Amino acid sequence: MAFFARTLGICALLPLALACARSPGAPAPNVGAASREAEPVESPDTDPHERQPLPHDIVMRAALPYQGLRYDDGKLLSRDDLLETLADVDLVCIGENHDNPHDHYAQLSLLQGLLRLAAYSGREVAVGFEMVQLPYQSVLDDWGAGKIDDDELLSGVEWDKRWRFDFNLYRPIFELGRRSSATLLALNARSELTRKIAREGLRGLSDEERAELPELDLDDSAHRAWFHSMMREHPAPHAGMRRMYAAQVTWDETMAATAAKWLDKRTPARQLVVIAGAGHCQHAAIPARVARRTSVRVAAVKPIIVKGDDDPCPKLAGFDYGVLLQTER
C-alpha cells in the first residue's frame, strides 16, 4: 500500500470541516481528469502488449479508508451515510482516472455496498461500462452467464484495441457484477463512429452511421465549458474543436441513452451503477443527459485523493459527491 501512496503522491485527508457551494448549472472547470478525457479516444499511448502487466490484485493493494463529501453543502459523510444516500438514487455514475487503482478501489467498494443494500430492498442492479462498446453486448452477456472465460471476453470485446488499459484495473468490478448476478451493460459508442465525427463532423456521416446516433444536445453550457477547459492544452482551429466536441457529446449521449433505456423498464425497482471516466461522470455529461430522457434520480460521484492542505471542493465542481480517499499516517 505504501508503494501506491508514494508513487501517486498521496497525502492525508484533511480532518477539517468543509464548505462547498455549487451554483445551479455551474460549469465544471476542474474535474481532475487527464486532458485525454475530452478526446474521442481514451487509451494509453503505448501498445498494451509492450507494457508490463499490472498485478492481478492491483486494485485491492490500492485499498484506502475513505469518507464522502456532499458538494452542495460541504457536509462530510461516513461510508455508511454515503452508501445510504446513493442507494436512493436510480443512476450513480462513479468517475475515474483510468490508470489510478485507488479510483477503481473506490468504485469497487461503492458497488459492493450498493449491491448489498439493493439485495435488502429488492432493487435490480446493473453495472454499465464505458469500456465496452455497444456492438459487444452479447459477448458481455456470454461472459456474465459463464459461457466464455476472461480471455474470450477480452478478445470478444476487442479490449486491447478499443480500451487498452490493463484489465486488472477493472477485473474485480467485472467479477463482482457477475458474482452478484447484476446485469452487465455495454454503454459506449463504436470508436469508429466517434473518430469519424472528430475527423469529419456530423455532416460526414453516412445514413447508416447517422442511424446509430442518439438525440444529441450540443448546447449545454456547463458541458461545453468543461470541454473547452479540458482542451486548453490542445488548441485547434474552431472547426476542428467543433467536430471534437460533437464526438464528445456523441460519446456521452450514447452512454446516457443506453442507460436511460435500461432504467426506463422498471424504475424505481432498478439501479444502474455506471463505471466511466471522470469527464463522462461529471453532472453535465451522463447524469444530466439520462435525467433529460427519463425521470430518474441521478448522482455524479468522483473519487479524490486530497493532498496536503488542498480544498477538495474545487476538484468536485460538476459532481454531486466525492469519495475522499485517505492514506495511512
Side-chain angles (χ1 to χ4, degrees):
M1 186 180 300
F3 169 78
F4 296 109
R6 183 170 60 255
T7 56
L8 292 173
I10 304 162
C11 298
L13 172 69
L14 285 173
L16 304 175
L18 304 169
C20 307
R22 180 179 63 182
S23 302
N30 180 9
V31 298
S35 59
R36 64 172 173 259
E37 281 288 354
E39 298 174 6
V41 179
E42 293 183 348
S43 62
D45 296 329
T46 57
D47 188 290
H49 300 293
E50 297 175 358
R51 297 192 306 270
Q52 191 71 20
L54 294 173
H56 195 278
D57 61 347
I58 181 75
V59 172
M60 293 316 298
R61 291 194 199 182
L64 293 171
Y66 65 82
Q67 58 185 320
L69 172 64
R70 188 166 59 208
Y71 182 66
D72 275 346
D73 59 6
K75 182 178 180 180
L76 288 171
L77 305 170
S78 69
R79 291 176 64 156
D80 287 344
D81 287 343
L82 177 61
L83 279 173
E84 292 282 352
T85 300
L86 295 179
D88 288 332
V89 175
D90 301 304
L91 178 129
V92 181
C93 195
I94 313 175
E96 65 182 51
N97 289 307
H98 302 311
D99 56 358
N100 188 328
H102 298 292
D103 287 5
H104 295 296
Y105 169 73
Q107 292 172 323
L108 176 67
S109 180
L110 288 180
L111 176 60
Q112 189 172 39
L114 290 172
L115 285 165
R116 174 173 46 82
L117 293 177
Y120 295 146
S121 65
R123 293 185 92 187
E124 180 183 356
V125 176
V127 188
F129 295 98
E130 176 197 358
M131 304 82 215
V132 185
Q133 296 173 8
L134 290 177
Y136 305 101
Q137 179 64 55
S138 62
V139 179
L140 199 53
D141 290 341
D142 286 346
W143 183 82
K147 296 178 181 178
I148 61 175
D149 62 20
D150 290 359
D151 289 340
E152 291 169 306
L153 168 69
L154 298 183
S155 173
V157 303
E158 300 184 1
W159 185 276
D160 286 346
K161 174 184 176 182
R162 295 176 181 274
W163 191 247
R164 304 182 69 181
F165 290 93
D166 195 306
F167 184 63
N168 284 333
L169 291 165
Y170 299 91
R171 184 186 303 277
I173 298 172
F174 275 79
E175 290 178 346
L176 174 60
R178 179 170 65 176
R179 227 173 25 247
S180 63
S181 299
T183 300
L184 307 178
L185 288 181
L187 294 180
N188 213 344
R190 289 189 305 119
S191 54
E192 293 88 349
L193 183 65
T194 51
R195 284 179 181 139
K196 186 171 183 180
I197 294 171
R199 288 193 311 267
E200 303 178 29
L202 293 169
R203 293 181 180 179
L205 298 181
S206 67
D207 290 342
E208 292 78 9
E209 289 166 332
R210 285 181 175 277
E212 295 184 53
L213 294 177
E215 177 191 18
L216 303 180
D217 179 2
L218 295 163
D219 298 318
D220 185 288
S221 59
H223 189 262
R224 188 177 288 274
W226 165 81
F227 177 82
H228 286 294
S229 73
M230 290 294 98
M231 296 301 289
R232 282 178 190 147
E233 296 179 7
H234 303 273
H238 177 70
M241 192 69 73
R242 188 172 64 246
R243 291 193 298 269
M244 286 190 286
Y245 182 65
Q248 179 74 26
V249 171
T250 299
W251 206 352
D252 287 334
E253 292 280 25
T254 299
M255 291 192 279
T258 309
K261 182 178 179 181
W262 187 85
L263 283 167
D264 257 346
K265 293 178 182 177
R266 278 185 56 205
T267 301
R270 289 185 158 197
Q271 182 177 55
L272 175 56
V273 179
V274 171
I275 304 297
H280 298 300
C281 281
Q282 53 101 5
H283 194 83
I286 293 174
R289 293 168 193 273
V290 169
R292 188 184 82 231
R293 288 175 163 84
T294 184
S295 61
V296 296
R297 296 159 296 180
V298 299
V301 182
K302 183 184 179 185
I304 292 180
I305 296 165
V306 181
K307 301 177 181 180
D309 293 332
D310 285 355
D311 178 358
C313 297
K315 297 179 182 181
L316 269 185
F319 289 80
D320 302 303
Y321 299 94
V323 180
L324 305 181
L325 295 154
Q326 177 180 2
T327 59
E328 294 180 347
R329 290 187 179 275

